Amino acid sequence: MATDVMTAANGRWKEILEALAGLHAEQLSNRHQPCPACGGRDRYRFDDRDGSGSWFCNQCGGKDHLGGGGTGMDLLMRVRRWSFRQACEEVERYLGLEPAGTERHRPQPMSTGNGSGGKLPGPPATPAATGLPGHSSRPWRQPEQPPADAPPPALEQGAIAQWCYRDAAGNPLFWIQRLCLGGKGRKAFLHRVWLDGGWHRPSRRDPFSCEWPAPRPLYGLPGLAQRPEAQVLVVEGEGTADAAALLFPDHVVISWANGTNAIGKADWQPLAPLGLAGRSVTLWPDADAPGRKAMARLAALLREQGCRVQLVDPPAELPQGWDLADAEWSPAEAAEHLQQWLQPLPAAEAAAVEASNADEQESASAEPPAGGGAPFQCLGYDGEASYYRSGRTGQVLRLARSAHTATHLIALAPLAHWETLYPSRTGVNWSAVASDLYERSIAAGLFTPDRIRGRGAWWDDGRPLLHLGDRLVTPEGEHLITSPFRSRYVYQRMPRLDGPGDVEPLSVQEAAVIVSIANRFHWDVPASGTLLVGWVVLSPICGSLRWRPHVWLTGGAGSGKSAILDRYITPLLGDFALLVSGSTTEAALRQSICSDAVPVVFDEAESNERPDQQRMQGILSLARVASSESGASLLKGSPSGEVSRYRVRSMFLLSSIATALKQGADRSRFAQLTLRNPAELPKADRELHWASLDRDLDRHISSELGRRLIARTVGLIPMIRQAEGVFTRAAARHFDSQRLGDQYGTLMAGAWSLLSDVVPTQDEAEQCIACHDWESYSQSTELSDEQRCIQTILQHPLRVECPDRTVTRTIGELVELAAHQAHDLEISAELAGQALARQGLRLEPPHLLVSNTAEPVAQILRETAWAHGWAVVLLRLAGAQRRGPVRFCGAGMVTRAVAIPLAVL
């Protein structure tokens, strides 16, 4: 028969494969393209040499499926998963080679709603048909559809249980009875089908066979249709499925007929209906070698259908053959064991539905991360690197193009994963792995590392979210970090934070003690207590804020800085805070924060020596970047040419004797909280005050109170964000500065959240701000950079050689003398003008000209932010103009200059 079929099919394989394998014309062309049997990108071509239907695939072709060619019959068998005999029968039938007078019947089981067949036909004209492929040589009878009210069949001798297989609508199709043979635990299965008005008991003496034809429906099939969103659990055997359904009520539990060797005869199509993404499937084998082997085969089959697959690996210490029917667990214990024993497996390439990672995409419904199926998720690419999220670790891995090697890829997925999908004669075809991963990265699109989020509180497209390292807390409940979670952001697994847990949030009355104690410290400005409370409340949720204000705590020895840090701030922040001190550098801070949104508490932030000053300016630069929620990233290069991106979203609290705030941009981002000199109070009053405060700190401020405070704050994130807007507008009007409105309005919103659970009105916000004295905070930041720059120049002292002696005057005094606005017995107006010219300054009433490039001016400004660009800054002064070229007599130079009106000096 085979020889006749091959001869007849020669030259007609394109036609045959289109009709029987469902291949389209493009797949039957001689060009490199994805393989219809194993996927890929360009591993397959169809050349049809001499009409034999020949084809080639460097992945699954050849006799051993390790790469090579094959005939049209081979391709048909692999695409349809038919045996050689069944493929020959189908080709024979298609070509019309059946002998006259013979009526062969193709299996047409009752429709299961899964694409496995049509409606069950009426009784055949003849009671039996000749043997079907895959059956014995006896003729085969088509089973009939049992009545809906048909009682179950009686248990035959030796049968210990029976289970009904149904179609997707729940109608009965046939029963499977399990037999125990020979008293040695050997199992057999008996098909009870409806024939001639009753449940037929098959026997070897029957002149026909009547088993339900393959592909057979799954046990538990109705549940797949009734619960399309539920996860699926596949187990071995119907009895195990019934037991597992009680342990995992949130899953649809299914099995298949006839044991581990019959996986290929079951219809798995309902798990991935045509045109739809595959279901999320967990495979739980029995604790024995045959079970593990069967589930591994099933995993490969389901991956090809696009299912997201996970495999449970029962511990080796379990008894041989143990299954879920032997488990004496509660549903909660079963869920815990499932998480402990779960081992992820990869989803099929062709059906992997990755979330679009392009920044311009507005959709917030990203594909759930790895952990719900594949051992990793391809996030996309950025430049010369690709990004993956490991389903086992929950962390994001960046691999450069040159790093897609065996050493790095086995960290992404187990070696067995690559050996299964990319086998070669020497182990794994790593070039094919790299090629396919490149293609998957390109398909996923551009990925920006800014989408990676670490621990802390976040605002995730309209909802608050708390990332505690190994779990996410949302208004809907807790989610394990490795479980599927729909978001356009990638929440990376990090070291665990305890977080607030299940404690009761603080009430308004209970929170009053936090405000009271903060105000009892001896502040130079009474409003400092309120601002400190605002910072303590907001810092654990800093990632969810639009503006992140910082504070700098200053005070002399014995003023109480250590008490505030160690006994007030640290207990209230708990493990959310990053505590550092001393000579910590900007690089160490940046790398420690990474993608977290956590508060930074920096003690001993002194800047006495020049190296300390430079180090603190780097840290202030980091804090400056962290203030606003903009799309800007901090970029750092490396000797290898790779660029690292950082998005710092922390709130900083620095503590020292004096601040290192030099630039206006830093002064407007830090609220300076100064403690009074303890010597200002009489000793007896001071000791009484500290004794009372010390007692209340011990009594009230604790880590438990801190957890309850954080629980309250996290629950009020939506309210706090609205209050932030209200207070910011009120503060901006009060200070006549949007920057100061952002800074102090946000801190006031944090303090408000301890006094109320509702959003303040505009009047309430304005009253809260008006009841405090803000003069010192306004004065500390009211001078602009350009005003402070010209003042630095004017306040610089110069030695002037007079006829009798040398005297010292400031540049500002010399300008007044040269402009005849002041009189000095030692220095004439002409002498003052000459001294100014030597510094790159020239008086042309009503303007003072400042050289753009004079070295003396650069020396005056050498340790400021304006040392190399003072001309640009000075042009911001009211009425300032560009001039040039200008000759500066005495300095011997001609340069361009900035003309500043004397009236603004």
Side-chain angles (χ1 to χ4, degrees), residues 133-419:
H135 292 76
S136 67
S137 58
R138 291 181 296 167
W140 175 76
R141 281 193 63 181
Q142 173 77 48
E144 302 172 12
Q145 181 177 359
D149 57 351
L155 285 176
E156 291 297 323
Q157 183 177 3
I160 59 173
Q162 64 179 352
W163 299 272
C164 183
Y165 280 72
R166 303 175 183 272
D167 64 14
N171 300 312
L173 298 177
F174 63 96
W175 288 76
I176 290 285
Q177 293 184 344
R178 177 176 171 180
L179 309 176
C180 281
L181 305 176
K184 296 183 180 180
R186 293 190 297 121
K187 295 180 288 187
F189 301 94
L190 197 64
H191 282 231
R192 303 298 302 274
V193 299
W194 191 266
L195 283 178
D196 302 325
W199 293 108
H200 179 72
R201 200 281 186 201
S203 168
R204 292 181 179 178
R205 294 186 293 271
D206 287 343
F208 56 85
S209 65
C210 59
E211 286 187 352
W212 196 269
R216 301 183 182 110
L218 298 169
Y219 181 72
L221 177 62
L224 292 175
Q226 295 165 5
R227 301 164 64 188
E229 299 299 324
Q231 293 192 9
V232 180
L233 178 63
V234 183
V235 298
E236 293 182 52
E238 299 87 349
T240 305
D242 292 343
L246 300 176
L247 296 176
F248 300 95
D250 294 335
H251 288 66
V252 175
V253 183
I254 61 173
S255 187
W256 69 96
N258 286 32
T260 57
N261 292 326
I263 286 178
K265 295 184 179 181
D267 183 6
W268 300 99
Q269 187 62 33
L271 294 177
L274 295 177
L276 300 176
R279 298 281 288 259
S280 178
V281 183
T282 301
L283 309 181
W284 194 311
D286 292 352
D288 54 27
R292 289 183 172 89
K293 183 177 179 180
M295 286 301 188
R297 288 170 46 219
L298 179 57
L301 187 151
L302 294 180
R303 287 198 304 272
E304 294 176 356
Q305 293 189 185
C307 294
R308 302 184 297 277
V309 184
Q310 289 176 292
L311 182 66
V312 173
D313 186 15
E317 59 266 20
L318 290 174
Q320 185 73 7
W322 183 95
D323 60 32
L324 285 172
D326 301 318
E328 298 179 355
W329 299 333
S330 66
E333 292 172 330
E336 183 177 351
H337 282 88
L338 175 61
Q339 291 300 324
Q340 292 175 350
W341 298 351
L342 210 53
Q343 298 293 329
L345 284 174
E349 295 176 13
V353 182
E354 304 284 358
S356 176
N357 297 313
D359 286 339
E360 62 271 20
Q361 192 170 20
E362 298 178 356
S363 173
S365 58
E367 184 69 16
F376 64 90
Q377 179 189 11
C378 181
L379 300 175
Y381 69 96
D382 178 22
E384 294 298 315
S386 298
Y387 291 83
Y388 307 94
R389 185 175 187 271
S390 170
R392 296 179 295 171
T393 66
Q395 294 189 326
V396 175
L397 180 66
R398 179 184 184 273
L399 289 183
R401 292 288 177 88
S402 59
H404 282 69
T405 60
T407 303
H408 294 93
L409 293 176
I410 59 176
L412 194 61
L415 181 62
H417 167 78
W418 305 117
E419 290 176 338

Side-chain angles (χ1 to χ4, degrees), residues 79-111:
V79 172
R80 294 303 303 267
R81 294 185 178 81
W82 285 342
S83 66
F84 178 72
R85 179 174 179 177
Q86 186 176 3
C88 287
E89 291 280 355
E90 295 297 333
V91 174
E92 182 184 55
R93 182 175 299 107
Y94 177 79
L95 297 176
L97 301 178
E98 297 177 348
T102 301
E103 184 179 2
R104 291 185 176 173
H105 290 261
R106 188 176 181 177
Q108 295 188 12
M110 173 66 184
S111 173

Side-chain angles (χ1 to χ4, degrees), residues 26-42:
E26 179 128 349
Q27 292 175 299
L28 300 174
S29 61
N30 190 14
R31 71 172 189 82
H32 289 276
Q33 57 186 299
C35 177
C38 66
R41 180 172 177 261
D42 59 358

Side-chain angles (χ1 to χ4, degrees), residues 16 190 220 230 280 354 370 456 471 527 583 615 631 652 671 704 783 787 870:
I16 293 170
L190 197 64
S280 178
E354 304 284 358
R471 63 204 186 280
S583 58
R615 177 176 54 82
F652 287 71
E704 178 67 16
L783 290 180
Q787 290 172 321
W870 65 82

Side-chain angles (χ1 to χ4, degrees), residues 547-552 617 619-628 660-672 737-740 742-744 780-789 864-866 873 876:
W547 179 266
R548 286 175 278 276
H550 313 303
V551 299
W552 199 310
Q617 289 306 310
I619 292 172
L620 291 178
S621 175
L622 191 67
R624 194 184 314 135
V625 172
S627 292
S628 61
L661 300 174
K662 296 181 179 180
Q663 301 185 42
D666 294 331
R667 292 175 180 270
S668 62
R669 286 171 167 82
F670 277 84
Q672 184 172 336
S737 167
Q738 185 60 51
R739 175 63 57 81
L740 296 183
D742 291 336
Q743 176 71 11
Y744 296 105
S780 66
T781 56
E782 65 184 5
L783 290 180
S784 63
D785 277 347
E786 54 269 25
Q787 290 172 321
R788 290 191 294 117
C789 180
T864 70
W866 318 295
V873 176
R876 300 174 191 162

